[in-house]
Amino acid sequence: MKRTLYLKLLLGYALFGMLGFLTVSTLTSHMALNYIEKQTISSLYREANLLASNYASNYYRGTMTLDDVKSQFETVAAYLDTDIWVVDRNGNILINSQPDSAPNNAIQDFDISSFGTKYYQTSTFFDMFSEKMLSVFSPITINYKVRGYVLIHKSISDLVSYKDGFLNIAYLTLAIIFLCAFIVLVLFTFIVYLPIRRMTRAAKDYSEGNFDTQINVHANDELGYLASSINYMATELSTLEEDQRKFIANVSHDFRSPLTSIKGYIDAILDGTIPHDAQDKYLNIILFETERLNKLTQSMLELNKYGVRGSMMDITDFDINHTIKMVVQSFEGICKDKRISFELILTGQTCIVSADMSKIQQVLYNLADNAIKFSPPDSTITIETTEKNDKVFISVKDAGIGIPKDSIKKIWERFYKTDLSRGKDKRGTGLGLAIVKEIISSHNENINVISTEGVGTEFIFTLPMAQTGKEL
């Protein structure tokens, strides 16, 4: 099995880490440096304005000595980690907070207009520094006349170092996020991927005909529901496969017995084993077995027709009481031989239902035939109709041998016969009740059975009342 899904997850996880690192090292780094520069420029410009208006102006007015101003500048420069100069309009450095950093007392080619419309620039400041500096200026104005400038210089490397510290925090945050993503990946592996993998393996086993594999996923979510559904499907497929084997076995059994008898008797007649004067007896047996085969074939075709969705139904309104009477009359000869009588308890003179009359006749015939088959001599079979809630309830009740409890749910299966039925009557096909169930279901109605061994069995099914029946 190719593990492409999990490989994609791992590749996605690795790609997430790489893209996160590249984003922090490029985009975040650039944006962080720009932000730090803007904040630093704004802060230094405020300080330059304060120094120009409060100290440098006082120096030019003569209210403060040079040493006092320089002392104040040195204090501020140490606090800001910068170089602070006071220069005149010609570029002569009058005050330098850190003399060692600016050995020359005059700035060559000094031109304040080089700043352009901005109050800062990033350069070596007329080659006064060996590295790039961020330089911010503020004019010293006395009586509306510019007398000089306060310049604050800060090393770009300091800003880069500050940016690197910020990036270290970003990398640490990214590492924590990456670790959290790894934990989520592990949880996803156990909660989602492994259950899906087990389902995939089970589906592969099912495709190979092995329905014993069960998916061990117990979760109260969509995956748990899916696993339960697949397990149920596998159980149903296994049951269906077993039913198919039983079906084939039952069909083979019910066809093999009469075919064996027919072949045996015909061979005996042909080779003279059966004398000519006894052939009529065995020909009648062959005819009986042939009719049984024909009945079995017709029943299978009938059942298959009902099993197809959308089978044609000839729905008409008819009197169910009259139909019951006609079906009962067809068993008059058999009932006389077995000394069995029918008791009819019918609602009203007529009881009009809406259904396929020929198919309901078949239902009544099969139920009555079953009742006669399993009823003892000198017993009574009761057929009753009852109207209730726009439905007609038809009951066929016998006083026969009953159905064992473990067979109640199986009597609707094709070819199913209880051991009692096989011992008592070998002519049954085991399809009668299956046909009854299919016919009633095709009418969207229900049929139930109540049975007690040694007491008897009662089948009850419903049919919809016809509109004309309601009016009557």
Side-chain angles (χ1 to χ4, degrees):
M1 183 192 307
K2 294 183 179 179
R3 301 178 183 178
T4 56
L5 178 61
Y6 200 64
L7 181 59
K8 290 176 182 177
L9 289 175
L10 293 177
L11 290 175
Y13 176 74
L15 183 62
F16 166 75
M18 293 174 58
L19 290 178
F21 176 78
L22 290 175
T23 300
V24 170
S25 61
T26 55
L27 180 63
T28 304
S29 176
H30 178 72
M31 293 177 64
L33 184 58
N34 285 342
Y35 177 79
I36 292 171
E37 283 184 354
K38 289 180 180 179
Q39 293 299 315
T40 302
I41 290 169
S42 177
S43 176
L44 294 181
Y45 183 70
R46 286 196 302 268
E47 293 294 336
N49 273 331
L50 288 173
L51 293 174
S53 60
N54 293 334
Y55 297 104
S57 295
N58 291 334
Y59 166 71
Y60 276 99
R61 289 190 182 100
T63 58
M64 289 185 69
T65 65
L66 183 62
D67 291 337
D68 291 336
V69 174
K70 185 175 182 181
S71 177
Q72 292 295 331
F73 277 28
E74 288 176 352
T75 302
V76 175
Y79 174 75
L80 296 177
D81 191 21
T82 59
D83 292 341
I84 302 177
W85 297 350
V86 175
V87 300
D88 60 16
R89 289 181 299 175
N90 297 320
N92 296 314
I93 301 174
L94 304 177
I95 298 174
N96 189 341
S97 64
Q98 297 180 3
D100 295 339
S101 63
N104 298 322
N105 292 324
I107 304 173
Q108 297 295 324
D109 301 324
F110 176 76
D111 184 6
I112 198 66
S113 63
S114 63
F115 282 81
T117 58
K118 299 178 182 179
Y119 51 87
Y120 68 90
Q121 66 175 226
T122 302
S123 65
T124 59
F125 198 72
F126 301 99
D127 297 327
M128 296 295 291
F129 298 94
S130 59
E131 61 176 331
K132 278 191 175 183
M133 304 291 286
L134 174 63
S135 301
V136 178
F137 83 93
S138 178
I140 303 170
T141 305
I142 298 175
N143 296 326
Y144 305 104
K145 184 177 180 180
V146 177
R147 303 294 297 274
Y149 307 96
V150 173
L151 294 167
I152 301 179
H153 307 284
K154 189 171 183 66
S155 174
I156 292 295
S157 61
D158 291 343
L159 302 184
V160 173
S161 297
Y162 187 70
K163 180 262 297 182
D164 290 341
F166 180 80
L167 285 186
N168 289 335
I169 297 174
Y171 284 128
L172 179 60
T173 304
L174 179 63
I176 294 173
I177 294 174
F178 197 63
L179 178 61
C180 292
F182 179 76
I183 294 173
V184 171
L185 179 63
V186 172
L187 292 176
F188 180 85
T189 300
F190 285 98
I191 297 175
V192 179
Y193 174 71
L194 291 180
I196 292 178
R197 187 178 176 186
R198 285 195 286 267
M199 292 181 198
T200 304
R201 287 178 174 175
K204 185 175 183 296
D205 290 341
Y206 300 156
S207 67
E208 295 173 353
N210 179 19
F211 300 108
D212 295 330
T213 304
Q214 290 291 303
I215 304 172
N216 187 24
V217 175
H218 304 286
N220 191 24
D221 55 16
E222 288 81 357
L223 284 176
Y225 178 77
L226 178 60
S228 299
S229 300
I230 294 176
N231 284 335
Y232 177 77
M233 178 193 70
T235 302
E236 291 297 308
L237 288 175
S238 179
T239 303
L240 178 61
E241 189 177 41
E242 182 64 25
D243 290 343
Q244 288 177 339
R245 285 196 292 267
K246 290 180 179 178
F247 178 82
I248 294 173
N250 289 331
V251 170
S252 300
H253 176 271
D254 285 336
F255 270 88
R256 185 171 59 247
S257 296
L259 288 174
T260 301
S261 298
I262 292 172
K263 181 178 184 303
Y265 289 133
I266 291 177
D267 287 341
I269 291 173
L270 290 177
D271 61 18
T273 303
I274 297 176
H276 183 74
D277 55 355
Q279 287 183 4
D280 288 345
K281 172 186 175 181
Y282 293 101
L283 287 174
N284 285 328
I285 295 176
I286 293 172
L287 179 62
F288 172 80
E289 295 292 353
T290 303
E291 290 176 349
R292 188 155 77 93
L293 282 174
N294 183 62
K295 180 181 178 182
L296 179 61
T297 303
Q298 290 298 324
S299 296
M300 290 177 62
L301 293 174
E302 188 77 12
L303 190 58
N304 184 65
K305 180 177 66 176
Y306 294 136
V308 176
R309 290 185 179 182
S311 57
M312 297 297 295
M313 302 285 290
D314 184 16
I315 304 298
T316 58
D317 296 344
F318 63 94
D319 182 9
I320 188 65
N321 290 346
H322 177 72
T323 302
I324 291 172
K325 293 174 184 177
M326 296 300 296
V327 170
V328 168
Q329 289 180 9
S330 65
F331 290 99
E332 183 177 351
I334 299 175
C335 290
K336 188 176 292 183
D337 293 339
K338 295 189 65 173
R339 304 191 303 279
I340 293 176
S341 61
F342 278 95
E343 180 182 4
L344 304 182
I345 306 175
L346 308 177
T347 298
Q349 294 296 322
T350 60
C351 183
I352 309 300
V353 297
S354 181
D356 189 317
M357 186 172 68
S358 63
K359 291 181 172 59
I360 297 304
Q361 283 177 335
Q362 188 173 6
V363 168
L364 292 169
Y365 183 90
N366 287 353
L367 293 178
D369 184 56
N370 250 24
I372 294 171
K373 188 185 304 180
F374 299 113
S375 294
D378 301 315
S379 62
T380 300
I381 298 172
T382 303
I383 300 181
E384 182 178 359
T385 59
T386 306
E387 296 180 5
K388 186 177 181 181
N389 297 331
D390 297 332
K391 296 284 185 181
V392 177
F393 291 77
I394 299 97
S395 166
V396 179
K397 183 177 181 180
D398 63 57
I401 59 178
I403 303 172
K405 287 184 179 180
D406 59 350
S407 298
I408 289 289
K409 294 182 179 180
K410 300 178 182 178
I411 60 173
W412 310 111
E413 297 177 6
R414 303 181 181 190
F415 288 102
Y416 181 80
K417 300 179 185 179
T418 63
D419 293 336
L420 291 173
S421 74
R422 284 190 180 275
K424 187 173 182 67
D425 186 352
K426 300 211 180 263
R427 295 176 301 169
T429 63
L431 293 174
L433 291 179
I435 292 175
V436 167
K437 179 72 172 179
E438 292 289 347
I439 292 175
I440 298 301
S441 296
S442 66
H443 282 79
N444 295 319
E445 298 295 330
N446 300 310
I447 183 168
N448 297 309
V449 59
I450 303 170
S451 183
T452 304
E453 285 190 81
V455 177
T457 302
E458 180 179 12
F459 288 91
I460 305 171
F461 67 93
T462 60
L463 290 176
M465 290 183 62
Q467 293 297 322
T468 54
K470 293 178 185 179
E471 294 171 359
L472 292 172

